[in-house]
Amino acid sequence: MIILSLLLRWLATAKAGQLVTQNADADFNIESWSLDVHPSPNNTANFIFNTVHSLLTGWPGRRYRNGHTIVPGILPAGTLLYHGRGDPHVPETPEWTALDSELSTLYCGLFSEDHQGCWHLTLVAERSLKVLYFDGYSGLKFPGGTIDSQDVVAWGKIEPDNYSEEPRRISDLCNWGKQFGIDGFVRLHTSYEVMLCNFSAGLRVDSILHLKMPYVPQPANSSFQGPPIRPPPKMEVGIPLDAFGLEEILASKRIDEYPGEVRIQLDLHRLVSFYDISLAPSLVSTRFGQHRLRHRILGISQEDIIAAKERIADELAAEKWTGLVSGIDWPSWFHTLVQRYADRLELLYLDLNSTDCAEDISPIMRRIFVQLRGMLQPYNLFSVQPKIKSNHEKFWAEPVYRTCAKAYPPFVSAQATFTPAEWLMFSSLSTVNGEICRVITKMWADGVEYDLENTQTHDMPSLLRVHTQWKQDLDALMSWLDWTEWLKCAPACNFDEMCYLPISPYRVPGADPAEDWIIQARDPRPTCVSKHSR
Ligand SMILES: *[C@@H]1O[C@H](CO)[C@@H](O)[C@H](O)[C@H]1NC(C)=O
Ligand SMILES: *[C@@H]1O[C@H](CO)[C@@H](O)[C@H](O)[C@H]1NC(C)=O
Ligand SMILES: *[C@@H]1O[C@H](CO)[C@@H](O)[C@H](O)[C@H]1NC(C)=O
Ligand SMILES: *[C@@H]1O[C@H](CO)[C@@H](O)[C@H](O)[C@H]1NC(C)=O
Ligand SMILES: *[C@@H]1O[C@H](CO)[C@@H](O)[C@H](O)[C@H]1NC(C)=O
């Protein structure tokens, strides 16, 4: 149990008794875990889990737009970057580049000076470029929190009124990044963009092509004969989804889901998150009672900003770029848990929701019970003595719960070399897996106690009580987990459609501009839209 004591020691010394008291349930002595104890409302294990599993994917970033996590990474030699503009010059100041030419050619047109032609640059990385990635919808320059994490790094404070001060932000980020040799900053736009600090450092211009405008937007008035009109991107109102054609949106679909943008290689073991309670304890109270949509870094104490910037600087030190010591493939450790449970929990949810109280629900209850038993099969110890038709105390089932909770993530000897970020991720995985185990074990134990599998006749009131309890337990678990895998178009889209979550500045077809999702920071709903322009 050396590993366990290492972990406990880290928890105890992680800058704070705070972690231990605030996240009191992040107690790794699993032997003491009980079926009745759920994570504290201030525990951020679920947010850290979702953040890590969402890195470099578009769908979750557009749902929860306010990023909290900063990760160093590299763009390998040979990566292509694109930039579009109105003149044939290579930028001499920090500027945007896109990983997808669908995005850069669109902007190429927007910056065209004669509305007929524009210049498109293709750059090749000649060495690996050092980048810093901001998660969330970090390319969206909007009030509401999408760029809080960038402000903290660039300015050491959040300037809520200055959300649109883009050239100053990027140039200050680059000035700050010089000491660490940072070449650029990665943000989610439609797809990913790289804000490059110096177009001549480590990059070669592969081509500068004079291109025809990629689109000819026609005014509503068809007798109009002049040059194509450049529609002003009025973000607040939105523009039709196919205003410029759909290439850019289709490109964004490619990175919507795991593994997302594979051309950027992140060093997760150097990740810094404002959801880390030991790093930013002042945010616990500003988040309290807030839906995740409204989580912001605004409100963080100056002390925590200094600590966070110090941690980021530590993680960017020259010797830290040499590679992962533990050798653990963190993305796959997270993805495995999602793969294992996302569909199963959803199926349980649908089955529980499919009953009609007027009919005999025992067949469906049996079916749900068999699913639960299947999920727990690897942990259903021979020694466990179920108390059938007991007084429903379920304590007999706790060994099953603890076996399930201990099974993932595994303790590995590489833990001796874990970085703070790796401990954070390990603790998040452990808490999230433990909570799934707790709820499914509790539900399964209900079924065992009512002998759901064998008894043919049940008294309906008891069965309905179990049903209600199951629904409550599963609803609570699924809203705590809040996996974006469950945010989907239902019914599924047709073959020539795509499931679309709003992308600025495009308006969802048929949506009322006055109820714009960006302004109101509501939970955006996905819609099926045609892959063809009208
Ligand atoms: C916004 O930027 C201006 C200068 O561009 C500065 O004077 C002002 O203090 C900034 N706002 C905040 C809240 O810092
Ligand atoms: C950009 O990089 C080139 C090549 O390393 C260097 O010569 C130049 O001084 C840099 N420009 C700035 C503004 O730092
Ligand atoms: C259409 O455009 C023409 C030329 O610009 C203009 O004379 C005419 O009034 C416009 N018609 C409408 C209905 O806007
Ligand atoms: C959670 O945080 C809030 C705000 O700081 C605090 O009032 C509350 O006591 C905390 N709850 C627990 C269970 O720690
Ligand atoms: C749950 O059941 C209700 C009533 O039958 C139905 O309207 C709703 O769409 C169902 N929800 C899901 C997610 O299937």
Side-chain angles (χ1 to χ4, degrees), residues 70-74 129-134 153-154 173-185 265-267 269-272 308-322 419:
I70 297 172
V71 198
I74 63 155
L129 302 177
K130 292 180 178 175
V131 293
L132 200 59
Y133 163 66
F134 295 101
V153 174
L173 280 173
C174 285
N175 286 338
W176 168 86
K178 250 185 205 139
Q179 55 186 314
F180 310 110
I182 300 285
D183 296 299
F185 298 87
Q265 299 173 357
L266 296 181
D267 282 356
H269 64 290
R270 297 194 286 155
L271 153 166
V272 177
K309 285 198 74 170
E310 269 173 17
R311 170 73 74 75
I312 295 166
D314 275 357
E315 296 299 356
L316 294 178
E319 70 274 13
K320 297 276 177 82
W321 292 88
T322 48
T419 63

Side-chain angles (χ1 to χ4, degrees), residues 399-470:
V400 176
Y401 162 41
R402 292 185 198 125
T403 308
C404 174
K406 270 188 290 196
Y408 200 81
F411 283 98
V412 291
S413 35
Q415 263 149 329
T417 66
F418 271 8
T419 63
E422 288 183 294
W423 281 122
L424 185 74
M425 292 188 284
F426 188 90
S427 139
S428 158
L429 271 170
S430 185
T431 306
V432 166
N433 178 60
E435 181 59 3
I436 296 171
C437 290
R438 186 184 73 83
V439 174
I440 61 178
T441 306
K442 188 165 171 282
M443 292 171 73
W444 166 78
D446 279 330
V448 172
E449 289 179 353
Y450 281 95
D451 201 16
L452 275 180
E453 197 175 8
N454 302 313
T455 315
Q456 293 305 317
T457 51
H458 292 281
D459 72 296
M460 275 308 262
S462 318
L463 209 52
L464 284 172
R465 259 199 311 278
V466 178
H467 185 270
T468 308
Q469 187 61 49
W470 277 2

Side-chain angles (χ1 to χ4, degrees), residues 165-396:
E165 282 204 18
E166 183 66 354
R168 177 164 73 97
R169 177 177 299 110
I170 296 304
S171 106
D172 288 347
L173 280 173
C174 285
N175 286 338
W176 168 86
K178 250 185 205 139
Q179 55 186 314
F180 310 110
I182 300 285
D183 296 299
F185 298 87
V186 175
R187 310 191 301 192
L188 177 62
H189 192 281
T190 322
S191 43
Y192 283 93
E193 62 182 9
V194 182
M195 306 306 292
L196 273 185
C197 294
N198 182 344
F199 276 57
S200 327
L203 292 140
R204 182 174 56 78
V205 177
D206 192 56
S207 62
I208 305 182
L209 301 178
H210 195 199
L211 299 183
K212 289 198 182 71
M213 287 272 289
Y215 50 85
V216 185
Q218 294 295 341
N221 182 344
S222 60
S223 68
F224 179 83
Q225 295 293 315
I229 298 287
R230 183 180 356 176
K234 269 204 256 160
M235 307 266 268
E236 289 80 358
V237 180
I239 56 176
L241 189 61
D242 58 356
F244 305 111
L246 283 168
E247 292 304 315
E248 182 199 24
I249 311 282
L250 291 170
S252 87
K253 289 301 294 177
R254 303 197 292 249
I255 49 101
D256 256 356
E257 290 169 20
Y258 182 89
E261 180 49 82
V262 293
R263 286 167 289 184
I264 297 163
Q265 299 173 357
L266 296 181
D267 282 356
L268 264 60
H269 64 290
R270 297 194 286 155
L271 153 166
V272 177
S273 179
F274 289 95
Y275 278 129
D276 180 347
I277 291 171
S278 70
L279 187 68
S282 61
L283 289 176
V284 172
S285 57
T286 65
R287 269 193 307 261
F288 188 65
Q290 296 282 333
H291 189 273
R292 186 172 167 204
L293 282 169
R294 276 168 286 282
H295 287 183
R296 289 195 64 165
I297 303 171
L298 185 68
I300 188 173
S301 70
Q302 201 53 36
E303 192 192 350
D304 288 359
I305 286 186
I306 292 166
K309 285 198 74 170
E310 269 173 17
R311 170 73 74 75
I312 295 166
D314 275 357
E315 296 299 356
L316 294 178
E319 70 274 13
K320 297 276 177 82
W321 292 88
T322 48
L324 176 64
V325 180
S326 74
I328 285 170
D329 181 9
W330 289 99
S332 83
W333 263 28
F334 280 79
H335 192 58
T336 297
L337 205 58
V338 173
Q339 280 180 318
R340 189 180 296 173
Y341 288 115
D343 286 353
R344 284 161 145 175
L345 293 176
E346 190 177 39
L347 185 59
L348 287 178
Y349 179 87
L350 293 175
D351 281 345
L352 274 170
N353 193 42
S354 70
T355 54
D356 176 348
C357 295
E359 63 189 52
D360 177 13
I361 62 170
S362 31
I364 194 132
M365 293 294 280
R366 198 171 307 126
R367 205 164 83 193
I368 296 168
F369 174 75
V370 171
Q371 284 178 55
L372 288 163
R373 199 189 51 199
M375 291 162 90
L376 288 169
Q377 186 55 37
Y379 321 111
N380 194 357
L381 301 174
F382 192 74
S383 58
V384 167
Q385 297 289 323
K387 303 266 188 298
I388 294 173
K389 298 190 194 297
S390 70
N391 49 354
H392 312 307
E393 282 170 346
K394 287 189 270 301
F395 60 85
W396 58 267

Side-chain angles (χ1 to χ4, degrees), residues 157-162 165 168:
K157 63 176 178 177
I158 292 153
E159 300 189 2
D161 307 330
N162 289 336
E165 282 204 18
R168 177 164 73 97

